[in-house]
Amino acid sequence: MGDEAPPETADAARLRYSGREATDMPLRELLTALERMYPPDRLLTNPAQLAAYESDALTVFKEQAGAVVLSETQSEVVDTVRLCARHGVPFVARGSGTSLSGGSLPVADGVVIGLSRLNRILKLDPDDRVAVVEPGVVNLAVSRAAAPHRLYYAPDPSSQSVCTIGGNVAFNSGGAHCLKYGMTSNHVLGMKVVLPDGEVSEMGGASLEGVGPDMTGLFVGSEGLFGIALEITLRLLPIPEVYRTVLAAYHSLEDAGDAVSAVIASGLLPGAMEIMDRLAIRAAEVGAQAGYPPDAAALLIVELEGEADAVDAEFSRLLRVIESSGAYEVRVARDEEERTRIWKGRKSAFSAVGRLAPDYIVQDGVVPRSRLGEALARIEALSRAYDISVANVFHAGDGNLHPLILFDGRTTGALEAAEELAGEILELCIELGGSITGEHGVGMEKRHYMSRMFGRAEMEAMERLRSSIDPMQLANRGKMLPLETTRAPGR
Amino acid sequence: MSPDQARTTSSSSSQVKEIQEAVRRHARVLATGGGSKPALSTPGDDGVVRIDVSPLRGILFYDPEEFTFSAWAGTPVAAVAADLAQNGQHLPFDPPLSAQGATLGGTVAAGANGSGRYRYGGVRDFLIGVRFVDGRGNLLQGGGKVVKNAAGFDFPKLMVGSLGRLGILTELTFKVFPAPRSTASLRADFATLDAGLDAVVRLGRSTFDLEGVDLVATAKGVSLWLRVGGLADTLPGRMERISDFLTDRSEPVRIERFENGEKGVVHWKEMASMEWAPEDGLLVKVPVTPTKVRQVDAAWASQGAIRRYSVGANVAWVAWPGSTRALDDSLADAGLAGVVLRGSSGHPWVGRPTGRRFLERIAAALDPDDKFGAVRSWPTS
């Protein structure tokens, strides 16, 4: 495993990435063709319009597209992809632009295909417990539509009120409930996709089971490199009868971490187990007035859900575990309102951190659960060594860390230092046997860490696979796979 | 690690090299394991060289606190299940044919799931990492060792259901779950399949946490089997509520409840062992939905097929008495596809599976010389 070359600094990557390629001529021809397809209000080409699309939620990367089209139908998407292929112009699909890894950053002089108007729920079948949706449907809209049938869509990224299913599919988004229910890929049963040369292919279906290689599973999380999903068949689950949520306050982060291990050891399977540290608690308090215990060094949120009888019995057991774990305050949500408040604080922690510092980087890494304590101690040491504040919010049940690295971008060198610290945290995750991303994807941000996590043979295999599916490398060029290896190695 | 395991492991490393060599040397190869799914381990063409992965066995790593383990692909499922059970854990999808010697690699390659898939998902949802030999003889790793991971292309999922036709699995990493302390089961008999399916659909939208939901077509109608798991003292009350729910609107002919004992697990064991299906005919897995089952069951019954609808009527297990051709036609008519696990079909995939064009591109990258034959054995529409 690993590669000999050290990862390039983010700054060098940004500089190099902004070097324009000589695609102007094909782009002009493409624009002429697109003008025949799209009315002016859905084909954006002037710089002021394009500026709105130059970044996603990872704003350190900026790039100006050659054009943005706002597609309204599947056939418009297919035709646009075909035109891009014909003219050899790269394209990037974009939903709500909430990617935290730069996944929907435009390619210079490429086309951004805006999918947020492709937002129809095409079918909702309560008998078969599936929804068939277009890629621009907002995550939470699926659960809203399913609610009258007492069903819901389980993956719940923090941005679920705005992020789209298409983006969730491309980046295999997670959420707080992955421990029990898995990530996006565990809830996508089938798809109709347009491949990067404009060919349309179907895979999977409406059944929980499949036949043949799980191509749907391969497509999910491929970060747009295999094309664009036009229709996605999602699995729906019955809304649990009850949720029981407990919040426990600790005098140290280690105690909270130990409590997670104790819960796991007790044989319970909580739907969610989240930890926030002191700085994250402060942010949540400022951002959402969650009413968290103000003096806590760490908060642990644990939630059980299911049939009332079963959950009641399990919850008693959970409380015994938590009460003997050194928590100095334990609060049980007595009703839905209290539960919502507990979660609101947690889910707003990311954005609320913005109130503590002008800028911040949301990092996303995974370590084996049993090494969480070690990882947190080392992040704290890094934070001290760099003299940069780091707030920690994480999905403790599955070892998914979200260090929030605070800095002031107006200070010279502050961004670079923050990025260096972020990079060290990723190295730490790899060293401990984890992953460079649990749910945000590789995107622009982490492509230079791919070869730290995967060996040369794996990188070449991924490159070959991408080149076989997209020989011209038009679909989301430059994401996930480092540019150095974009030429498919010979045999 | 015991001395025995250490020996297994070092010999296994050289066996992996042998597999790589064999793939490089031969024009056509087929990986085989425990032989519990003979249709998948019998080469269809002359000139196909079998590569036996079953000597590649042993658990490489298991930390109960991590909820993960890694093992060689030829490790029998039963051996792993025994180790997991000692720590109160399990693979919750009831891996089928483990009593017949199914291996982990064969279970992944066949994409085979049992009744327990209903609640938490199947092999695709629990496999988190793989090592496999591609068509060039390269040993590749995909996924990782942690339960949550979004880095790189998801090779583990791609291998699920691939029948070894995109690569030969050598090492697998799974996540596992805590096993329920106790289970209880219930059988409800209905006069018609439709009534049974109505109950499946109602239960699917109810708040009951069901581990298994199977329908067994019988001469007198259909039997619905349900399984719940959890703390023992909660089970009787939960079963009572489920019984009330079933008799509330629909009208089962009769309901029988089983506690944790032998009688209660007999159905689930029988489903996992496939002993209900005649040894000599075709045994086929067909992905379906409740809606599809309503459309196809009568036709299958009229052909003399024995049908069991598992996983909340998402999987049809069909013991097919007729020819492969007739089965293929029947599936194609219904817009379905299947995989033949037992019986000599010569073609493991039957009916009309989706995704051929995408598969062609994947196979061109992983198996450019067509040694494994994914596309060759994929039905054309």
Side-chain angles (χ1 to χ4, degrees):
Chain A
M1 287 233 298
D3 203 348
E4 68 289 348
E8 185 176 22
T9 67
D11 214 34
R14 270 200 307 278
L15 279 173
R16 199 166 42 69
Y17 194 73
S18 64
R20 295 295 175 95
E21 290 167 46
T23 54
D24 285 354
M25 190 58 193
L27 177 65
R28 269 204 299 279
E29 288 173 14
L30 171 64
L31 286 178
T32 308
L34 290 174
E35 276 164 11
R36 285 194 286 270
M37 254 180 78
Y38 290 94
D41 63 328
R42 294 200 287 118
L43 172 61
L44 317 179
T45 52
N46 80 52
Q49 292 173 312
L50 297 177
Y53 294 86
E54 67 182 10
S55 278
D56 52 27
L58 184 64
T59 53
V60 295
F61 289 103
K62 290 186 184 3
E63 191 58 85
Q64 188 171 301
V68 174
V69 298
L70 304 175
S71 300
E72 288 184 346
T73 64
Q74 293 182 29
S75 62
E76 278 184 354
V77 177
V78 173
D79 291 344
T80 305
V81 169
R82 285 179 182 161
L83 282 173
C84 286
R86 186 179 307 154
H87 295 279
V89 173
F91 62 87
V92 177
R94 180 184 169 111
S96 299
T98 56
S99 171
L100 288 164
S101 60
S104 53
L105 180 79
V107 176
D109 293 331
V111 172
V112 169
I113 303 178
L115 298 169
S116 53
R117 297 183 184 195
L118 234 74
N119 59 358
R120 282 159 286 247
I121 295 177
L122 301 172
K123 182 179 168 186
L124 205 147
D125 187 330
D127 284 7
D128 292 349
R129 300 199 301 183
V130 294
V132 181
V133 306
E134 291 183 328
V137 170
V138 168
N139 174 298
L140 200 55
V142 181
S143 289
R144 290 219 175 99
H149 306 287
R150 298 197 298 272
L151 298 169
Y152 80 115
Y153 176 63
D156 62 340
S158 292
S159 55
Q160 71 181 138
S161 59
V162 281
C163 65
T164 63
I165 296 295
N168 292 175
V169 164
F171 285 83
N172 194 12
S173 306
H177 291 79
C178 294
L179 174 63
K180 193 167 180 178
Y181 296 108
M183 303 166 47
T184 299
S185 64
N186 305 104
H187 300 269
V188 177
L189 304 177
M191 276 188 287
K192 180 168 105 182
V193 307
V194 55
L195 299 173
D197 57 3
E199 183 168 10
V200 174
S201 184
E202 289 185 34
M203 52 194 78
S207 174
L208 292 176
E209 284 278 305
V211 161
D214 193 337
M215 292 180 266
T216 305
L218 177 71
F219 196 97
V220 176
S222 59
E223 305 203 354
L225 270 60
F226 294 162
I228 301 175
L230 301 169
E231 285 183 19
I232 303 127
T233 303
L234 302 172
R235 162 195 187 208
L236 303 174
L237 293 177
I239 295 172
E241 184 174 13
V242 291
Y243 290 93
R244 299 296 300 273
T245 310
V246 58
L247 181 142
Y250 294 86
H251 289 305
S252 83
L253 203 48
E254 287 68 27
D255 286 351
D258 290 345
V260 170
S261 298
V263 172
I264 291 289
S266 73
L268 293 168
L269 184 62
M273 273 197 283
E274 302 282 302
I275 291 182
M276 300 165 75
D277 74 358
R278 194 186 297 276
L279 202 51
I281 297 164
R282 219 176 85 209
E285 208 43 62
V286 173
Q289 294 86 44
Y292 289 154
D295 301 326
L299 285 183
L300 170 65
I301 302 170
V302 185
E303 185 165 276
L304 298 177
E305 85 279 276
E307 273 182 65
D309 305 3
V311 171
D312 284 346
E314 288 168 7
F315 199 70
S316 310
R317 176 191 290 238
L318 173 67
L319 287 182
R320 282 199 297 277
V321 173
I322 293 213
E323 274 155 13
S324 59
S325 69
Y328 75 85
E329 185 175 340
V330 177
R331 294 184 190 171
V332 174
R334 281 165 302 185
D335 51 32
E336 186 55 29
E337 194 191 326
E338 289 192 0
R339 172 180 178 248
T340 306
R341 192 134 50 97
I342 288 176
W343 278 112
K344 193 178 165 207
R346 162 63 189 86
K347 293 210 171 192
S348 69
F350 281 14
S351 51
V353 161
R355 308 235 185 151
L356 301 183
D359 299 287
Y360 63 98
I361 295 172
V362 182
Q363 190 50 285
D364 165 44
V366 185
V367 297
R369 181 171 35 225
S370 59
R371 307 194 74 173
L372 261 177
E374 185 183 349
L376 291 167
R378 286 175 63 181
I379 290 171
E380 201 185 336
L382 284 168
S383 164
R384 272 199 308 272
Y386 277 81
D387 195 21
I388 294 175
S389 295
V390 178
N392 282 292
V393 179
F394 51 99
H395 308 305
D398 41 28
N400 189 186
L401 301 165
H402 287 310
L404 303 156
I405 301 159
L406 277 50
F407 66 99
D408 182 347
R410 295 165 300 191
T411 308
T412 312
L415 166 66
E416 289 70 18
E419 286 183 329
E420 202 181 312
L421 170 55
E424 290 218 37
I425 293 173
L426 289 188
E427 297 279 2
L428 173 64
C429 291
I430 296 170
E431 184 198 322
L432 295 180
S435 173
I436 56 174
T437 171
E439 54 189 3
H440 296 173
V442 175
M444 284 298 291
E445 189 195 16
K446 294 176 179 172
R447 52 199 185 140
H448 298 293
Y449 292 91
M450 281 289 283
S451 58
R452 310 285 285 184
M453 188 168 158
F454 295 103
R456 181 180 290 274
E458 284 76 21
M459 293 304 294
E460 288 179 359
M462 284 190 249
E463 202 48 76
R464 270 197 297 271
L465 182 56
R466 185 267 279 275
S467 291
S468 181
I469 291 165
D470 182 13
M472 290 191 285
Q473 305 191 357
L474 297 179
N476 218 7
R477 176 185 290 174
K479 314 297 165 57
M480 188 202 280
L481 299 173
L483 285 170
E484 288 88 334
T485 57
T486 45
R487 262 170 302 134
R491 295 190 43 202
Chain B
M1 190 182 288
S2 72
D4 259 8
Q5 280 175 305
R7 259 200 309 281
T8 313
T9 303
S10 76
S11 72
S12 298
S13 295
S14 65
Q15 282 162 357
V16 170
K17 289 199 176 67
E18 283 170 27
I19 292 173
Q20 292 178 265
E21 275 310 308
V23 169
R24 290 189 187 117
R25 197 176 327 121
H26 301 292
R28 295 257 201 276
V29 295
L30 178 70
T32 64
S36 63
K37 299 171 276 288
L40 304 182
S41 46
T42 309
D45 302 327
D46 288 341
V48 174
V49 175
R50 284 177 44 157
I51 296 179
D52 184 6
V53 183
S54 61
L56 203 59
R57 65 173 69 189
I59 293 176
L60 291 157
F61 166 88
Y62 171 37
D63 181 352
E65 202 200 321
E66 283 298 332
F67 279 30
T68 58
F69 74 87
S70 299
W72 292 107
T75 312
V77 172
V80 174
D83 272 24
L84 296 178
Q86 283 183 2
N87 292 284
Q89 297 182 341
H90 71 160
L91 288 165
F93 51 87
D94 294 2
L97 298 165
S98 62
Q100 285 72 18
T103 61
L104 288 173
T107 302
V108 170
N113 293 304
S115 307
R117 189 212 197 290
Y118 184 78
R119 180 75 181 99
Y120 293 115
V123 61
R124 80 185 294 270
D125 304 294
F126 284 84
L127 180 70
I128 57 174
V130 290
R131 276 182 200 275
F132 65 97
V133 177
D134 75 1
R136 291 175 173 80
N138 295 329
L139 182 63
L140 301 174
Q141 170 221 329
K145 308 252 183 217
V146 281
V147 297
K148 197 171 179 186
N149 180 9
F153 297 141
D154 199 337
F155 286 123
K157 286 210 178 48
L158 181 64
M159 291 297 135
V160 174
S162 68
L163 305 184
R165 281 161 169 83
L166 289 173
I168 298 181
L169 297 166
T170 61
E171 192 185 319
L172 305 161
T173 302
F174 286 89
K175 71 169 180 177
V176 299
F177 268 0
R181 298 291 170 102
S182 296
T183 60
S185 302
L186 173 156
R187 194 194 73 230
D189 298 325
F190 295 85
T192 64
L193 177 82
D194 270 335
L197 282 169
D198 288 344
V200 167
V201 164
R202 283 181 63 219
L203 286 164
R205 286 152 62 180
S206 76
T207 53
F208 297 116
D209 280 331
L210 301 166
E211 289 188 351
V213 178
D214 288 349
L215 281 173
V216 177
T218 64
K220 288 178 284 184
V222 68
S223 292
L224 168 68
W225 281 89
L226 305 177
R227 187 175 78 206
V228 296
L231 301 174
D233 49 356
T234 67
L235 295 182
R238 292 170 63 195
M239 294 302 272
E240 187 74 44
R241 287 174 60 207
I242 294 171
S243 298
D244 291 349
F245 179 87
L246 285 174
T247 47
D248 179 31
R249 256 189 291 163
S250 49
E251 287 173 31
V253 175
R254 112 173 210 250
I255 291 181
E256 195 171 355
R257 284 191 287 182
F258 306 95
E259 301 306 319
N260 215 1
E262 194 57 31
K263 239 184 142 186
V265 298
V266 66
H267 164 77
W268 312 104
K269 274 191 169 169
E270 194 184 272
M271 283 301 285
S273 69
M274 304 285 167
E275 273 162 3
W276 55 271
E279 280 287 334
D280 47 355
L282 297 173
L283 175 63
V284 195
K285 179 193 105 167
V286 184
V288 288
T289 62
T291 305
K292 274 283 177 197
V293 171
R294 288 188 207 274
Q295 293 163 9
V296 297
D297 182 73
W300 288 349
S302 73
Q303 303 246 26
I306 304 171
R307 298 94 59 216
R308 295 203 162 189
Y309 300 109
S310 188
V311 194
N314 273 265
V315 184
W317 290 104
V318 183
W320 187 261
S323 69
T324 310
R325 180 65 185 273
L327 169 69
D328 195 59
D329 288 347
S330 170
L331 293 177
D333 286 348
L336 294 171
V339 58
V340 181
L341 301 190
R342 274 204 320 236
S344 61
S345 75
H347 306 282
W349 288 312
V350 289
R352 295 289 175 269
T354 54
R356 183 184 182 90
R357 303 293 285 159
F358 194 46
L359 178 65
E360 284 171 358
R361 299 179 195 213
I362 295 166
L366 292 178
D367 182 22
D369 299 321
D370 195 25
K371 297 197 171 197
F372 306 131
V375 177
R376 207 176 343 122
S377 37
W378 197 252
T380 43
S381 47

